[in-house]
Amino acid sequence: MSRRLAREKALQMLFQMDVGQNSLEMAKLTLLGAEISPQDESFVLKLVDGTRNCLEELDTCINQYAEEWDIGRMAKVDKNLLRMALYEMKYLEDIPHSVTINEAIDLAKKFSSEESGKFVNGILDKIQKESDFLKGRL
């Protein structure tokens, strides 16, 4: 499994937990049947756990930079994708921001819409360029 597929699995799990109110254990069923290495599974779970544990912090940042968009009104896929990408940008130092943003755009186009790709790109790019949020990277 590639990191792209791992991100897909993580997004699907976050979506299930947000929309379906599924537990982490229930969402992990998404991984069943996938050819996934222990390293890839670790990456998926790091993204899911990290994102879920930082929701308030991530949502505050997204709300600040998503002009005229309240996070509660965003498409669920877009919201969860923004959260996951922002978590990755702040806390996973080994991944360049440009890679995270490009992956997020591709996932938005695949799971949401062409317009979502532009929406996700605009918000993440603006946060990357203007926000102090990412300056406190661990």
Side-chain angles (χ1 to χ4, degrees), residues 20-38:
Q21 299 298 305
N22 291 339
S23 67
L24 176 60
E25 291 306 313
M26 190 69 156
K28 279 184 182 179
L29 294 176
T30 302
L31 298 174
L32 291 180
E35 301 258 340
I36 186 166
S37 70

Side-chain angles (χ1 to χ4, degrees), residues 62-63 66-75 79 119:
I62 292 166
N63 267 327
E67 295 176 11
E68 299 180 30
W69 280 94
D70 179 81
I71 200 160
R73 290 184 36 232
M74 287 181 192
K79 173 179 70 172
F119 177 72

Side-chain angles (χ1 to χ4, degrees), residues 88-90 95-102 128 134 137:
E88 186 175 314
M89 289 168 71
K90 181 163 185 175
I95 304 170
H97 292 173
S98 59
V99 170
T100 300
I101 292 171
N102 286 336
Q128 176 187 247
L134 298 176
R137 280 177 68 157

Side-chain angles (χ1 to χ4, degrees), residues 101-138:
I101 292 171
N102 286 336
E103 292 287 329
I105 293 166
D106 289 344
L107 288 172
K109 290 177 183 177
K110 180 174 182 173
F111 290 102
S112 196
S113 70
E114 185 74 28
E115 290 302 310
S116 290
K118 294 175 188 174
F119 177 72
V120 166
N121 181 38
I123 293 173
L124 293 177
D125 189 55
K126 190 171 187 175
I127 290 170
Q128 176 187 247
K129 289 177 180 173
E130 299 176 12
S131 176
D132 289 337
F133 181 77
L134 298 176
K135 290 181 182 165
R137 280 177 68 157
L138 296 175

